[in-house]
PDB file of all heavy atoms in Angstrom:
ATOM      1  N   ALA L  11      -3.364  15.166  -2.099  1.00 62.00           N
ATOM      2  CA  ALA L  11      -4.736  15.590  -1.822  1.00 62.00           C
ATOM      3  C   ALA L  11      -4.681  16.645  -0.641  1.00 62.00           C
ATOM      4  O   ALA L  11      -5.390  17.610  -0.757  1.00 62.00           O
ATOM      5  CB  ALA L  11      -5.556  14.456  -1.368  1.00 62.00           C
ATOM      6  N   TRP L  20       0.460  24.152   3.544  1.00 70.00           N
ATOM      7  CA  TRP L  20       1.769  23.780   2.916  1.00 70.00           C
ATOM      8  C   TRP L  20       2.609  25.071   2.988  1.00 70.00           C
ATOM      9  O   TRP L  20       3.826  25.079   3.264  1.00 70.00           O
ATOM     10  CB  TRP L  20       1.621  23.237   1.532  1.00 70.00           C
ATOM     11  CG  TRP L  20       1.218  21.816   1.506  1.00 70.00           C
ATOM     12  CD1 TRP L  20      -0.009  21.311   1.531  1.00 70.00           C
ATOM     13  CD2 TRP L  20       2.104  20.718   1.742  1.00 70.00           C
ATOM     14  NE1 TRP L  20      -0.058  19.975   1.578  1.00 70.00           N
ATOM     15  CE2 TRP L  20       1.250  19.509   1.683  1.00 70.00           C
ATOM     16  CE3 TRP L  20       3.489  20.571   1.839  1.00 70.00           C
ATOM     17  CZ2 TRP L  20       1.786  18.288   1.843  1.00 70.00           C
ATOM     18  CZ3 TRP L  20       4.001  19.288   1.940  1.00 70.00           C
ATOM     19  CH2 TRP L  20       3.096  18.120   1.903  1.00 70.00           C
ATOM     20  N   ALA L  25       7.234  28.117   5.139  1.00 80.00           N
ATOM     21  CA  ALA L  25       7.766  29.356   5.668  1.00 80.00           C
ATOM     22  C   ALA L  25       8.317  29.075   7.092  1.00 80.00           C
ATOM     23  O   ALA L  25       9.403  29.470   7.476  1.00 80.00           O
ATOM     24  CB  ALA L  25       6.729  30.416   5.729  1.00 80.00           C
ATOM     25  N   LEU L  33      12.707  22.504  14.104  1.00 77.00           N
ATOM     26  CA  LEU L  33      11.984  22.647  15.311  1.00 77.00           C
ATOM     27  C   LEU L  33      10.547  22.434  15.292  1.00 77.00           C
ATOM     28  O   LEU L  33       9.857  22.045  16.182  1.00 77.00           O
ATOM     29  CB  LEU L  33      12.391  24.084  15.885  1.00 77.00           C
ATOM     30  CG  LEU L  33      13.783  24.279  16.363  1.00 77.00           C
ATOM     31  CD1 LEU L  33      13.899  25.779  16.755  1.00 77.00           C
ATOM     32  CD2 LEU L  33      14.187  23.351  17.446  1.00 77.00           C
ATOM     33  N   ILE L  38       4.208  20.232  11.967  1.00 71.00           N
ATOM     34  CA  ILE L  38       3.897  20.019  10.588  1.00 71.00           C
ATOM     35  C   ILE L  38       3.370  18.564  10.298  1.00 71.00           C
ATOM     36  O   ILE L  38       2.411  18.394   9.656  1.00 71.00           O
ATOM     37  CB  ILE L  38       5.147  20.317   9.710  1.00 71.00           C
ATOM     38  CG1 ILE L  38       5.487  21.805   9.786  1.00 71.00           C
ATOM     39  CG2 ILE L  38       4.929  19.911   8.282  1.00 71.00           C
ATOM     40  CD1 ILE L  38       6.827  22.125   9.247  1.00 71.00           C
ATOM     41  N   ILE L  40       1.917  16.491  12.435  1.00 81.00           N
ATOM     42  CA  ILE L  40       0.715  16.307  13.156  1.00 81.00           C
ATOM     43  C   ILE L  40      -0.492  17.028  12.294  1.00 81.00           C
ATOM     44  O   ILE L  40      -1.590  16.436  12.108  1.00 81.00           O
ATOM     45  CB  ILE L  40       0.652  16.807  14.577  1.00 81.00           C
ATOM     46  CG1 ILE L  40       1.496  15.856  15.416  1.00 81.00           C
ATOM     47  CG2 ILE L  40      -0.778  16.857  15.153  1.00 81.00           C
ATOM     48  CD1 ILE L  40       1.846  16.427  16.781  1.00 81.00           C
ATOM     49  N   LEU L  43      -1.093  14.974   9.177  1.00 82.00           N
ATOM     50  CA  LEU L  43      -1.740  13.734   9.518  1.00 82.00           C
ATOM     51  C   LEU L  43      -3.232  13.934   9.882  1.00 82.00           C
ATOM     52  O   LEU L  43      -4.104  13.246   9.441  1.00 82.00           O
ATOM     53  CB  LEU L  43      -1.064  13.060  10.569  1.00 82.00           C
ATOM     54  CG  LEU L  43       0.258  12.419  10.313  1.00 82.00           C
ATOM     55  CD1 LEU L  43       0.938  11.870  11.555  1.00 82.00           C
ATOM     56  CD2 LEU L  43       0.140  11.350   9.314  1.00 82.00           C
ATOM     57  N   GLY L  60     -23.469   8.797   0.185  1.00 89.00           N
ATOM     58  CA  GLY L  60     -23.661   9.505  -1.152  1.00 89.00           C
ATOM     59  C   GLY L  60     -23.935  10.944  -1.018  1.00 89.00           C
ATOM     60  O   GLY L  60     -24.366  11.688  -1.875  1.00 89.00           O
ATOM     61  N   HIS L  70     -27.923  16.916  10.170  1.00 82.00           N
ATOM     62  CA  HIS L  70     -27.766  16.528  11.612  1.00 82.00           C
ATOM     63  C   HIS L  70     -28.041  17.678  12.556  1.00 82.00           C
ATOM     64  O   HIS L  70     -28.627  17.520  13.600  1.00 82.00           O
ATOM     65  CB  HIS L  70     -26.359  16.053  11.839  1.00 82.00           C
ATOM     66  CG  HIS L  70     -26.088  15.635  13.232  1.00 82.00           C
ATOM     67  ND1 HIS L  70     -26.578  14.428  13.773  1.00 82.00           N
ATOM     68  CD2 HIS L  70     -25.354  16.249  14.185  1.00 82.00           C
ATOM     69  CE1 HIS L  70     -26.132  14.391  15.057  1.00 82.00           C
ATOM     70  NE2 HIS L  70     -25.410  15.356  15.329  1.00 82.00           N
ATOM     71  N   ARG L  73     -31.755  23.954  12.452  1.00 80.00           N
ATOM     72  CA  ARG L  73     -31.720  24.951  11.319  1.00 80.00           C
ATOM     73  C   ARG L  73     -30.876  26.209  11.646  1.00 80.00           C
ATOM     74  O   ARG L  73     -30.154  26.664  10.798  1.00 80.00           O
ATOM     75  CB  ARG L  73     -33.206  25.381  10.956  1.00 80.00           C
ATOM     76  CG  ARG L  73     -33.215  26.262   9.745  1.00 80.00           C
ATOM     77  CD  ARG L  73     -34.683  26.232   9.193  1.00 80.00           C
ATOM     78  NE  ARG L  73     -34.747  27.220   8.091  1.00 80.00           N
ATOM     79  CZ  ARG L  73     -34.539  26.838   6.856  1.00 80.00           C
ATOM     80  NH1 ARG L  73     -34.287  25.586   6.542  1.00 80.00           N
ATOM     81  NH2 ARG L  73     -34.676  27.688   5.882  1.00 80.00           N
TER      82      ARG L  73
END
Side-chain angles (χ1 to χ4, degrees):
W20 284 92
L33 294 175
I38 294 168
I40 291 169
L43 288 176
H70 181 73
R73 186 163 178 93

